[in-house]
Amino acid sequence: MSTGTTPSGGTTPDTAAPPPGPADPAADPGGTGLRQGLKRRHMQLIALGGVIGAGLFVGSGVVIRSAGPAAVVSFLAAGALTVLIMRMLAEMTVARPALGSFYAHVRETLGHRAGFAVGWLYWYFFVVVVAVEAVAGGRIIRLWLPGVPLWAVSLVLMTLLTATNLVSARSYGEFEYWFSSIKVVAIVVFLSLGALFVLGLWPGASGGLDRLTAHGGFAPAGAGAVLAAVVPCVGFFTGTEIVTIAAAESVEPERAVAGAIRSIVLRVVAFYVLSVLVVVAVVPWTSKAIEVSPYAAVLDRLAVPAAGTVMNAIVLVAVLSCLNSALYTSSRMLFALTRNGDAPRGLTKVGASGVPRRALLAGTSAGYLSVLAAWLSPDVVFSFLINSYGAIALFVYLAIAVTQLRMRRRLEREEPARLTLRMWGFPWLSRLTVALMALVIGAMAVLPDSRAQFWLSLLTLGVVLAAYEIRRRVRRK
């Protein structure tokens, strides 16, 4: 028996899943050992905060530089596609709540091989996210503490947030609630300042939207560049689905997921699209400062004091939020994999606080090995890791869409009463979503900027499928 630290500071032995039932049956209705500590307010901000990361605050600048002001259209199209995927996932989650969310749905509908692949791909995706965010956070902190090694700062960040996640699911929810709240407030303030500039109410501002067409037109690189920019934009929205994984530890899983998905539709699209619109309306899209940090470029144009420091602080919060969520998500997906024998049973242990500690520490350890790779071999090993996970989330999204098409038919035949939240325009809109998702993935395979990510991600998929075949043959013997 291993030991884990309780919130009070003592130690208590871990229990094997399924553990003895808690005193309160409602605390663990599925017999998983997890505790339902997440409230509806946590779920709302988990869904919203999952997609507001460094991609919005920094990465959006690359899209603007490639597509010009028409990047607004690219983000709108990617946001619409993501909303459709999330609606499909919400339908399945509300109808059939399950540990591991879409992993369980894919496994049930498309077969064990597909479920194994989706579960492990998603775990790998977030383990690499852990490393990416830890490195990003370390680099920001080193701007203020230049003498501290990057690996040490990243280790401290991972240790602190791992400790937070070890306490309880509610502890993760509280941290994510406040991280996300800060991000939302920052975006609202940013949009308000931008609106004042566009309306000519900011000191020294001429107002208007002239910059949208002043430097080569609205789409200076053509429609092809606008469509190509949709590919990275879809990646920026990855993380919305975390709310369905957290549903297993929510007090009201069905209502919480339904409410969270409904609320993010307008908010997420509005935050991204309006933010990008403010950037290209205030600063010429040709400015090199946009590619470095679009938000900081706008604040500099508005002469906001200490704009760079302010943006670094906000980006750090966004990075910590994503790191917090990545640690949580990777542990819950790995825990779900163990429940079906798709991962080592030894990782099924659950602490007295309802946290799958071994699964969490496995993700943290793998993430920190990746951080060491960023320090020891940034141009080879770490570069490979970054490229090998670039298309994985899109593979998972495609599997979710195909699963919903099949599961919906079964639910209509066998359990129509469970369809309390339905996908719009079924089946035609579902089929269109599958086709569009496949088109985005296909575009990754041919576009120069994403070709390497696609093929290395395909290699990752091949390795996972080979692992499934090896496991299957070993079990037969």
Side-chain angles (χ1 to χ4, degrees):
M1 285 287 199
S2 65
T3 59
T5 305
T6 62
S8 59
T11 59
T12 181
D14 288 346
T15 53
D24 178 9
D28 182 26
T32 63
L34 303 178
R35 298 295 179 87
Q36 294 181 309
L38 296 175
K39 299 181 179 180
R40 290 185 70 181
R41 67 182 179 89
H42 296 140
M43 299 291 280
Q44 294 280 347
L45 270 296
I46 287 172
L48 189 58
V51 293
I52 304 176
L56 171 62
F57 294 112
V58 180
S60 56
V62 177
V63 176
I64 294 172
R65 289 280 289 176
S66 65
V72 174
V73 177
S74 302
F75 275 99
L76 184 60
L81 179 57
T82 304
V83 165
L84 292 174
I85 295 287
M86 290 307 109
R87 182 74 181 193
M88 299 170 84
L89 178 54
E91 177 188 279
M92 295 187 291
T93 304
V94 172
R96 291 270 187 89
L99 179 67
S101 182
F102 49 85
Y103 153 69
H105 301 142
V106 171
R107 193 174 191 274
E108 175 190 354
T109 305
L110 302 184
H112 293 181
R113 178 183 287 101
F116 181 94
V118 164
W120 277 108
L121 285 175
Y122 198 71
W123 178 84
Y124 177 74
F125 176 86
F126 272 100
V127 163
V128 177
V129 169
V130 167
V132 170
E133 301 298 343
V135 169
R139 286 173 176 164
I140 293 172
I141 291 177
R142 289 186 75 242
L143 295 175
W144 301 311
L145 301 172
V148 183
L150 177 62
W151 66 266
V153 180
S154 299
L155 175 61
V156 171
L157 293 179
M158 291 179 66
T159 301
L160 289 175
L161 290 176
T162 299
T164 298
N165 276 268
L166 282 172
V167 174
S168 66
R170 183 168 183 174
S171 175
Y172 153 73
E174 282 295 330
F175 270 78
E176 191 57 25
Y177 178 84
W178 291 109
F179 281 149
S180 297
S181 297
I182 293 171
K183 291 187 290 186
V184 169
V185 170
I187 294 174
V188 170
V189 171
F190 178 80
L191 293 177
S192 300
L193 296 179
L196 291 176
F197 182 92
V198 170
L199 295 173
L201 302 177
W202 189 262
S206 57
L209 299 172
D210 296 343
R211 289 179 180 80
L212 297 182
T213 57
H215 301 273
F218 183 67
V226 177
L227 293 176
V230 173
V231 175
C233 288
V234 172
F236 291 151
F237 287 103
T238 303
T240 318
E241 72 286 341
I242 292 175
V243 68
T244 64
I245 295 174
E249 294 169 273
S250 169
V251 176
E252 305 172 285
E254 293 90 348
R255 291 182 62 189
V257 169
I261 292 295
R262 288 191 186 103
S263 70
I264 65 169
V265 171
L266 182 60
R267 295 182 191 178
V268 167
V269 175
F271 281 170
Y272 269 86
V273 174
L274 291 180
S275 292
V276 173
L277 180 60
V278 165
V279 171
V280 295
V282 174
V283 181
W285 72 271
T286 53
S287 170
K288 292 184 179 180
I290 282 184
E291 192 168 3
V292 176
S293 178
Y295 274 57
V298 171
L299 296 181
D300 279 334
R301 175 65 183 84
L302 298 178
V304 174
T309 301
V310 170
M311 275 315 305
N312 285 333
I314 293 173
V315 172
L316 179 60
V317 170
V319 164
L320 294 178
S321 172
C322 290
L323 176 56
N324 189 40
S325 289
L327 288 167
Y328 172 85
T329 306
S330 62
S331 67
R332 270 44 176 191
M333 183 55 71
L334 186 56
F335 179 72
L337 284 161
T338 67
R339 301 286 293 182
N340 291 308
D342 286 336
R345 288 287 185 182
L347 298 173
T348 315
K349 302 290 184 178
V350 178
S353 60
V355 174
R357 289 173 172 166
R358 291 187 179 182
L360 175 60
L361 293 175
T364 301
S365 301
Y368 192 64
L369 288 176
S370 300
V371 170
L372 291 179
W375 179 52
L376 297 173
S377 181
D379 298 325
V380 180
V381 179
F382 193 65
S383 177
F384 171 80
L385 292 174
I386 295 297
N387 285 303
S388 67
Y389 92 125
I392 284 178
L394 304 186
F395 295 162
V396 172
Y397 278 8
L398 179 60
I400 290 172
V402 174
T403 299
Q404 188 269 341
L405 263 172
R406 295 193 179 184
M407 180 178 280
R408 171 67 175 267
R409 295 299 193 192
R410 182 186 302 175
L411 288 170
E412 287 178 333
R413 290 193 309 268
E414 301 173 2
E415 301 174 285
R418 286 186 171 272
L419 288 169
T420 56
L421 188 150
R422 296 171 180 257
M423 172 60 181
W424 308 298
F426 183 86
W428 303 110
L429 198 51
S430 292
R431 291 172 180 169
L432 177 62
T433 304
V434 171
L436 291 175
M437 203 69 241
L439 181 62
V440 169
I441 293 174
M444 282 197 75
V446 298
L447 292 173
D449 292 340
S450 58
R451 192 180 299 147
Q453 292 186 4
F454 172 82
W455 291 108
L456 287 176
S457 295
L458 200 62
L459 174 63
T460 304
L461 173 60
V463 170
V464 171
L465 290 175
Y468 175 83
E469 291 302 322
I470 293 172
R471 190 202 64 155
R472 186 170 63 88
R473 293 182 181 183
V474 168
R475 283 189 170 186
R476 279 183 177 179
K477 291 181 181 181

